[in-house]
Amino acid sequence: MKTRSLVSVVRSLSPVTLVALVVTVAIILLAIAAPLVAPFDPVVLDAAGRFAPVGDPNHLLGADQYGRDTLSRLLYGARVELLTAASASVLSMAVGTVIGLVAGYYQRFVGAVLMRFIDVVLALPALILALFAVTLYGPGEATLIIVMGLVFTPAFARIAYGQTLTVAQAEYVESARLFGASDLAILFREILPNILAPLVVQFTLTVASAILLESGLSYLGLGIVPPAPSWGAMVADGQRYMATEPQLLLLPALAVVISILAVALLADGLRTALNPRSHRRSA
Amino acid sequence: MFGYIAKRIVTGVGILLVIVTIVFIAIQTVPGDPALVLLAGNGGAGQVSPEALDALRARLGLDRPVLEQYLSYMGGLLTGDLGTSFQLQRPVTELILGRLPNTLELVAIVAVIATALGVFIGASAARGGRAANTIMSLFTALGISAPVYVIGTVLVYVAAVSLRILPAGGFVQFDQDPGRHIQLLILPTLAIAVGLTSVIARTTRSAVLETADQDWVRTATAIGLSRGQVFRGSVLRNSLTPVATVVGLEIGTLLGATVLVERVFSWPGLSTLLIDGVSTRDYPVIQGVVIVTAGLFVAINILVDVLYTVLDPRARLS
Amino acid sequence: MNDKPVLEVKNLHVSFSGGGGYNAAVRGIDFSVGRREIVALVGESGSGKSATAMSLLGLLPDSARREGSIVLRGTVDLARMSDAGLQRVRGQEVGTVFQEPMTALNPVYTVGTQLMTAIRAHKRLSASDAKARAIELLELVRVPEPAERLRQYPHQLSGGQRQRVMIAMAICSEPDLLIADEPTTALDVTVQAGILDLLRELRDTLGMSILIITHDMGVVADIADTVIVMKDGEFIEQAPVRQLFAEPQKDYTKLLLSAVPRLGESGSPVPNQRELDETPNLVLDRVNMVFSRGFRRPPLRAVDGVDLTVSPSEVVGLVGESGSGKSTIGRIAVGLMTPTTGTVAVGGVELGGVSKRQRRAALGGVSMIFQDPASSLNPRISIGDAVTAPLRFASERYSAAELRDRACELLEQVRLPADWVSRYPHQLSGGQRQRVGIARAIANKPSLLVADEPTSALDVSVQRSVLELLQELQSDLGFACLFITHDLSVVEQMAHRTVVLRRGRIVESGLTDQLLANPTDPYTAALVAAAPVPDPDIQALRRSIRREKLSLIANEES
């Protein structure tokens, strides 16, 4: 197994992956810079600019039924999407990895119990679990982040579990134990660094899934609380006027698809790059 | 082998029990007074009368000790009683059973089409050259990236609004007008199937590629079988297990996606029940839907596990 | 009667794609296999022998390239054949047996299904006729209870039986040539003997030629008529077997032959009596290790009532085949596993009966060398950090500078350059990694060292130097050593005293020389008889003795 520098990894990425990486980084930067870049405050109404078309001098990408500037709403929407998605992904990665590590290392009882817990979480469809949480705790970012964190934990736990099972058998782990390393040291110094690659890939995928899930909830009106902008809600609004003003539907739809696609392709590319064996031949 | 199935059923029931318990606990842990939270609802409309509050509390059983609540709750579940909807004043079980068949119809049709199509595409891509693989990767990436509601609404826009070849949504009973029923089925099915097909295609492709590296494939070639025979017998057959696993897991996502799509196309399945229930904080309804979907998921995965024993003899003995 | 050679290979080149280009694995070799001839293709890892064998029938990955001519029976050139043509040749005119029977058989089909598929690949037979033929074949390869086996799955058979099934599949159409790629490497030595006998028998009864690929000179001496030596993809030497062993021409061949340990050649080390009387470093007293296997299966008794002692400066060899429990005992000795019953005393301190701190202190003087160079070192930790790891966890605190110095010192002791402290495992070869493992094992100046098959995964030319290093270190540093291995010639070279283990039980123990020369237990005798000696004449004599000894323990080979 090779330990490669970051530079060599980046250099080995396929063109598609590089494009995906660039787009992702661009979206992240735009999201961070939204307050500086956006021409308008996204919730400000502008009666004169209602249904402004694309290319209007005041509203570059048009405006919605309340005259709110589409471009600004898209940018601020990006902010919210990425923030919630990233937070949820970090949360689920941390929790899931720890669960998987512990379950994989201590197999006997602890392992079985933990993995059963994972099975329980898996048994509930993400959307439905999210709706359940919203019913109880109300909509809003905090609820969303926690629920999404929960929903995506099993994937990390399973990966960490599987990888830990394999790595824990390695002789260098036995060696560390023999020479007196504490369990904690073994988990974090010997095992964790050697199971990171698939977890990183999963993190990227999770960000994509989180954006997907969150925008779905917002579409239903049960995600980000309006009037704060969110792409899903924008699609829902746009659907109402699609006969006459299709851009209200298509622009946010495009934003959602492009972001998720970029992150998903990046995940694909990372998986190939970090995998010692890449499938280049046909069956 | 039957021991294996029995063990799976027991595990499944166990998981369901845990879920049901968690659902119960969830209502107990809502910050503040659950009854107040549920009644105050969206926007906290005005005052909530103390009588209404008490009535709700009594109905939810919140004035009784926790253990008693739990037992009566579980007892109710065993008899199929999922409580009564606040809004509609009807038994939840009845409401769910009224809508469930429509959702299941979508789920079943999509599952079958997506699995067949997905396996075919994935296996073909795995056997194909670089170009085929790249094209498939990109298309499926798009397929899994486009949210179901986006595909749905875009489909409505294209097919119904612009081209006007299909209806935008709605529902008609199959026995009343089979033709129209099927017509109305097309767009929703398509919307969900795109995503699921893409996932299955990807899984199939990587499972096939990984299996193709295995030693027994080389043995099959060495004894003089044709490429096709080798592929079907030694590669495809062995790849089915990971694909089955993924399909089982994706049922969950499938159920969620169906909920969204039903909304886009006004298909009267569980989604309306669920979404309206969330907005009005109709807790018994939500609780009922959660339990039923979890039960469905567990049941389907038990079936998948049984399928395993057919596909992989090693599973039979474990 | 065609007297052309069965196979004639000319100017064969094979290269694999990788790292942006193509890497040559076979660089133009010529050889031929005659009728009824057994030709052995010998080499170490990277020699290209497997690539050669796989290229003959086009069994290489699609991305590999092949050039040259491969003429079968003087009539057809396999290299120019279409895929359809090759399909007709495979199995029917040339059969193949692979190295790992566990993975070479498809786990989801029964043995019967797979065997019948092979039978019907080239012949139209009804299902019942195919089944009859399958049973006939299983009897031919001496698999007991053939009808029963047909219904079973590969994972339900033992390694030896699986390999016999593979052979049955390969010969079902009575091919002219059988290609066997390291057919016995994954098997125990007693099982190996049976397979080699079977192959020879099949050659005699079916008139088949065999091209056998191997790295084991003992196997070559046992079975081959002609030997071809390869190195780094190149042809080194070819000769009839007796001639090659007696008068090797090329230097590499000489090197290869000299590196192979020969049973009965070297004398074993003699123990130092005075030291033997001191407190033993390791005492295992009535140790049992029982693993439960879940719900309805009987527990596995991996170690059964074992008494074992290792005294200061003594090297005790622990010999056994797979499943004998030797690795388990090794781990019990260093405290990685706790026995179900029985006591383990290290340096006089009984591990079970003391506090955690005392246990840790007692184990501070214990160390272990692991078997697999691919997994004994953490890929993300530098060599320097790896060798000083034992010191890191010890009770004394060392400064970074002290650790670095010690790391350099240790590397020099195992004859590696000191500036490799900053290198990573993937930059080292297998033999070099094992040396690092040894360095790590002596870092804490152990008084007891357990070596678990330290050279089994290495090429034979590297094995010798690693073993010599170990011997040197042992006599210089004076640690007691429990040396675990399956290879009798290695134990002969290294151990003062030897203990033979079978299914968790000690069947015999004694001074190495005596034990190997005059074994009293039938199992030990079988092990000694089955170990192939790299000398064709001696090996021919040993074969008949071996058959007799193996039959005495035959019933348990199931």
Side-chain angles (χ1 to χ4, degrees):
Chain A
M1 197 168 37
K2 283 192 186 303
T3 329
R4 299 156 73 181
S5 69
L6 193 60
V7 175
S8 79
V9 170
V10 171
R11 225 181 298 154
S12 71
L13 297 177
S14 75
V16 170
T17 314
L18 281 172
V19 170
L21 179 60
V22 167
V23 172
T24 307
V25 169
I27 295 175
I28 295 176
L29 289 175
L30 281 175
I32 296 176
L36 302 170
V37 176
F40 288 88
D41 183 324
V43 304
V44 150
L45 311 177
D46 177 11
R50 292 181 67 202
F51 294 118
V54 175
D56 181 295
N58 280 337
H59 299 281
L60 215 51
L61 290 179
D64 70 0
Q65 69 275 30
Y66 297 119
R68 293 181 295 197
D69 179 45
T70 305
L71 176 60
S72 310
R73 299 200 86 212
L74 283 179
L75 286 173
Y76 273 88
R79 216 152 189 238
V80 163
E81 300 286 344
L82 283 179
L83 196 61
T84 42
S87 314
S89 304
V90 168
L91 184 59
S92 55
M93 180 166 173
V95 175
T97 306
V98 169
I99 290 180
L101 265 177
V102 171
Y105 190 67
Y106 289 110
Q107 287 205 277
R108 290 298 152 140
F109 183 63
V110 178
V113 164
L114 282 175
M115 293 322 278
R116 282 287 155 258
F117 164 68
I118 295 297
D119 284 338
V120 165
V121 177
L122 268 180
L124 284 169
L127 192 72
I128 297 183
L129 185 60
L131 289 174
F132 182 61
V134 167
T135 315
L136 287 176
Y137 305 108
E141 274 176 48
T143 316
L144 278 181
I145 291 176
I146 294 179
V147 165
M148 290 206 290
L150 184 63
V151 156
F152 296 122
T153 301
F156 284 103
R158 284 201 162 184
I159 293 178
Y161 179 68
Q163 296 282 312
T164 305
L165 281 183
T166 318
V167 170
Q169 308 292 341
E171 291 178 343
Y172 62 82
V173 171
E174 278 192 292
S175 170
R177 198 157 3 119
L178 168 62
F179 291 120
S182 66
D183 282 345
L184 212 62
I186 291 181
L187 282 174
F188 288 100
R189 206 174 113 95
E190 309 287 333
I191 299 184
L192 185 57
N194 287 303
I195 66 173
L196 274 182
L199 291 174
V200 167
V201 173
Q202 186 62 27
F203 177 80
T204 321
L205 271 175
T206 305
V207 170
S209 306
I211 299 178
L212 204 85
L213 180 59
E214 187 279 321
S215 65
L217 283 169
S218 299
Y219 173 81
L220 294 174
L222 299 168
I224 304 291
V225 183
S230 79
W231 292 340
M234 289 170 79
V235 171
D237 283 343
Q239 189 178 2
R240 264 186 281 153
Y241 300 103
M242 73 173 141
T244 49
E245 312 281 340
Q247 78 277 11
L248 288 179
L249 164 68
L250 294 174
L251 285 173
L254 208 59
V256 172
V257 174
I258 290 180
S259 333
I260 301 178
L261 185 61
V263 180
L265 285 175
L266 182 60
D268 270 357
L270 277 179
R271 188 190 290 125
T272 319
L274 293 175
N275 192 352
R277 211 178 31 157
S278 52
H279 296 298
R280 258 174 297 134
R281 66 187 179 94
S282 51
Chain B
M1 166 161 138
F2 289 110
Y4 175 77
I5 298 177
K7 201 160 66 138
R8 284 286 170 272
I9 294 180
V10 166
T11 315
V13 169
I15 291 179
L16 208 48
L17 274 173
V18 172
I19 290 179
V20 160
T21 308
I22 290 179
V23 165
F24 174 79
I25 292 174
I27 183 73
Q28 306 283 338
T29 59
V30 167
D33 177 359
L36 185 60
V37 162
L38 289 176
L39 269 185
N42 281 355
Q47 287 105 334
V48 174
S49 68
E51 298 85 37
L53 216 47
D54 285 335
L56 181 54
R57 256 197 232 110
R59 194 145 26 106
L60 280 180
L62 288 172
D63 47 353
R64 285 181 289 161
V66 178
L67 192 57
E68 199 187 313
Q69 291 180 45
Y70 184 62
L71 288 175
S72 79
Y73 167 77
M74 294 300 271
L77 280 179
L78 282 174
T79 59
D81 173 16
L82 290 165
T84 313
S85 155
F86 293 160
Q87 282 296 110
L88 306 168
Q89 300 291 343
R90 279 157 61 196
V92 171
T93 317
E94 184 190 307
L95 289 170
I96 290 182
L97 284 179
R99 307 303 191 103
L100 191 58
N102 299 333
T103 302
L104 284 182
E105 183 182 358
L106 267 183
V107 168
I109 294 180
V110 171
V112 167
I113 294 181
T115 310
L117 204 55
V119 169
F120 175 71
I121 293 176
S124 310
R127 298 189 80 181
R130 227 176 183 177
N133 267 288
T134 321
I135 294 176
M136 196 218 87
S137 285
L138 288 175
F139 269 99
T140 51
L142 193 56
I144 61 177
S145 305
V148 141
Y149 66 91
V150 164
I151 299 179
T153 45
V154 168
L155 275 176
V156 170
Y157 177 66
V158 168
V161 174
S162 300
L163 301 176
R164 296 179 186 282
I165 49 175
L166 283 170
F171 181 75
V172 139
Q173 290 282 13
F174 186 72
D175 21 358
Q176 284 184 327
D177 186 350
R180 179 112 178 127
H181 180 94
I182 293 180
Q183 226 187 6
L184 286 166
L185 204 49
I186 294 179
L187 287 183
T189 307
L190 200 55
I192 311 174
V194 167
L196 188 57
T197 309
S198 301
V199 171
I200 294 179
R202 295 185 137 217
T203 313
T204 308
R205 177 180 165 274
S206 52
V208 166
L209 284 178
E210 196 166 318
T211 312
D213 272 346
Q214 298 299 322
D215 284 348
W216 63 76
V217 176
R218 191 175 50 175
T219 307
T221 312
I223 61 177
L225 297 175
S226 70
R227 268 197 193 252
Q229 284 172 310
V230 170
F231 185 75
R232 281 188 304 272
S234 305
V235 178
L236 200 53
R237 171 75 173 69
N238 289 74
S239 312
L240 291 178
T241 341
V243 173
T245 318
V246 165
V247 173
L249 288 178
E250 287 295 316
I251 295 292
T253 326
L254 183 54
L255 285 167
T258 314
V259 166
L260 281 172
V261 158
E262 287 173 1
R263 172 71 142 204
V264 175
F265 294 97
S266 311
W267 185 268
L270 284 177
S271 75
T272 339
L273 210 54
L274 189 58
I275 295 166
D276 290 344
V278 174
S279 337
T280 59
R281 293 198 139 170
D282 193 344
Y283 185 72
V285 167
I286 307 295
Q287 183 183 287
V289 172
V290 169
I291 293 173
V292 167
T293 34
L296 261 176
F297 184 85
V298 168
I300 292 177
N301 271 281
I302 290 180
L303 282 176
V304 169
D305 281 338
V306 170
L307 191 60
Y308 260 28
T309 61
V310 169
L311 290 178
D312 189 345
R314 289 172 293 185
R316 274 178 235 169
L317 303 170
S318 68
Chain C
M1 180 76 160
N2 190 345
D3 59 344
K4 289 244 175 68
V6 165
L7 183 73
E8 191 154 5
V9 175
K10 282 204 178 14
N11 202 22
L12 182 66
H13 288 265
V14 176
S15 47
F16 293 103
S17 73
Y22 274 85
N23 305 316
V26 180
R27 305 164 202 266
I29 82 163
D30 302 333
F31 66 93
S32 64
V33 179
R35 298 209 147 257
R36 294 174 158 267
E37 188 183 12
I38 300 185
V39 174
L41 200 51
V42 159
E44 300 183 293
S45 49
S47 56
K49 56 193 194 297
S50 271
T52 304
M54 292 298 107
S55 72
L56 300 176
L57 288 176
L59 293 174
L60 297 168
D62 287 339
S63 57
R65 282 212 289 243
R66 175 190 67 179
E67 281 162 31
S69 77
I70 305 171
V71 178
L72 189 64
R73 283 197 312 273
T75 50
V76 284
D77 187 353
L78 298 178
R80 302 211 181 301
M81 242 179 184
S82 66
D83 225 29
L86 274 177
Q87 190 197 325
R88 280 192 296 273
V89 170
R90 292 180 193 133
Q92 193 166 204
E93 307 187 46
V94 181
T96 316
V97 175
F98 298 97
Q99 176 176 349
E100 287 278 359
M102 183 68 242
T103 52
L105 292 175
N106 194 323
V108 305
Y109 296 125
T110 58
V111 166
T113 310
Q114 298 189 55
L115 192 43
M116 296 199 312
T117 308
I119 293 170
R120 295 164 92 176
H122 296 286
K123 226 190 238 177
R124 283 191 178 293
L125 280 182
S126 70
S128 51
D129 285 342
K131 189 168 178 198
R133 174 79 175 133
I135 294 184
E136 193 187 317
L137 282 166
L138 286 183
E139 283 167 356
L140 190 61
V141 297
R142 303 194 190 287
V143 169
E145 293 167 10
E148 194 45 47
R149 296 280 168 264
L150 289 182
R151 277 199 293 270
Q152 287 183 317
Y153 287 91
H155 63 275
Q156 294 173 284
L157 271 60
S158 74
Q161 287 174 329
R162 284 196 284 264
Q163 199 58 310
R164 288 170 192 266
V165 167
M166 268 248 59
I167 294 174
M169 282 170 70
I171 62 166
C172 65
S173 305
E174 303 201 3
D176 294 321
L177 172 67
L178 179 69
I179 300 175
D181 186 6
E182 306 254 24
T184 56
T185 307
L187 304 173
D188 282 333
V189 80
T190 47
V191 177
Q192 169 175 277
I195 300 288
L196 291 176
D197 282 342
L198 174 66
L199 285 175
R200 213 177 304 103
E201 205 182 299
L202 290 173
R203 184 268 303 265
D204 293 335
T205 50
L206 299 178
M208 189 172 68
S209 308
I210 302 181
L211 175 65
I212 180 168
I213 317 298
T214 181
H215 66 278
D216 189 333
M217 293 309 263
V219 167
V220 172
D222 189 288
I223 198 174
D225 297 325
T226 308
V227 186
I228 301 170
V229 179
M230 283 181 77
K231 178 183 192 243
D232 291 333
E234 310 230 344
F235 174 92
I236 301 289
E237 186 171 348
Q238 173 175 343
V241 67
R242 281 176 180 72
Q243 188 184 317
L244 189 98
F245 277 89
E247 295 164 6
Q249 301 293 309
K250 295 284 182 341
D251 286 340
Y252 177 68
T253 317
K254 293 184 192 164
L255 179 72
L256 205 56
L257 286 171
S258 70
V260 179
R262 291 166 182 242
L263 199 57
E265 190 181 65
S266 63
S268 303
V270 173
N272 182 330
Q273 193 56 43
R274 180 175 48 84
E275 300 219 7
L276 284 182
D277 296 331
E278 293 175 19
T279 322
N281 287 89
L282 176 69
V283 177
L284 263 62
D285 186 28
R286 280 166 300 187
V287 164
N288 283 294
M289 190 72 189
V290 178
F291 294 108
S292 67
R293 276 190 298 189
F295 201 38
R296 251 177 291 144
R297 291 155 74 182
L300 177 67
R301 189 169 281 274
V303 180
D304 194 351
V306 162
D307 295 328
L308 187 66
T309 317
V310 182
S311 304
S313 293
E314 192 185 21
V315 177
V316 173
L318 187 57
V319 167
E321 298 188 294
S322 52
S324 57
K326 56 193 195 294
S327 279
T328 312
I329 291 179
R331 277 155 179 75
I332 291 177
V334 296
L336 277 176
M337 282 189 185
T338 315
T340 318
T341 58
T343 58
V344 181
V346 171
V349 177
E350 199 185 295
L351 292 184
V354 296
S355 76
K356 213 167 176 186
R357 192 144 37 100
Q358 286 170 307
R359 189 170 186 272
R360 194 73 306 273
L363 288 174
V366 167
S367 200
M368 189 162 183
I369 304 175
F370 295 89
Q371 173 179 359
D372 185 4
S375 78
S376 57
L377 299 175
N378 186 332
R380 304 206 175 259
I381 293 184
S382 72
I383 303 293
D385 285 341
V387 298
T388 51
L391 301 174
R392 233 168 274 267
F393 302 119
S395 40
E396 304 150 46
R397 296 250 147 271
Y398 296 91
S399 72
E402 284 172 331
L403 287 177
R404 208 180 328 123
D405 288 338
R406 183 83 179 117
C408 295
E409 205 183 305
L410 286 167
L411 286 184
E412 276 165 2
Q413 269 186 298
V414 296
R415 314 225 194 87
L416 290 175
D419 59 357
W420 281 20
V421 284
S422 47
R423 287 204 181 182
Y424 282 83
H426 69 269
Q427 296 171 284
L428 273 61
S429 74
Q432 291 163 343
R433 274 186 245 161
Q434 277 307 69
R435 286 170 190 267
V436 172
I438 294 174
R440 175 176 62 189
I442 59 174
N444 58 346
K445 301 202 170 71
S447 44
L448 171 68
L449 188 123
V450 174
D452 187 4
E453 306 245 35
T455 55
S456 304
L458 302 176
D459 279 334
V460 85
S461 57
V462 178
Q463 271 189 33
R464 173 155 270 209
S465 53
V466 171
L467 287 176
E468 277 172 2
L469 172 67
L470 259 179
Q471 262 184 320
E472 234 181 75
L473 287 173
Q474 199 265 335
S475 70
D476 286 346
L477 302 175
F479 47 77
C481 180
L482 179 64
F483 196 99
I484 301 173
T485 180
H486 65 276
D487 191 334
L488 287 179
S489 48
V490 168
V491 91
E492 181 184 39
Q493 180 186 344
M494 302 290 297
H496 304 114
R497 210 164 35 92
T498 299
V499 171
V500 177
L501 207 59
R502 185 189 191 199
R503 299 238 176 85
R505 226 177 259 216
I506 296 184
V507 296
E508 189 168 352
S509 78
L511 291 178
T512 312
D513 275 338
Q514 285 173 14
L515 187 122
L516 293 177
N518 298 308
T520 52
D521 181 272
Y523 180 70
T524 315
L527 275 184
V528 173
V533 165
D535 181 318
D537 294 315
I538 299 183
Q539 191 58 17
L541 287 172
R542 289 168 65 80
R543 275 204 290 271
S544 39
I545 309 175
R546 161 175 98 190
R547 198 164 309 203
E548 179 207 321
K549 303 282 182 196
L550 284 177
S551 67
L552 288 179
I553 58 163
N555 296 338
E556 279 111 307
E557 155 48 23
S558 59

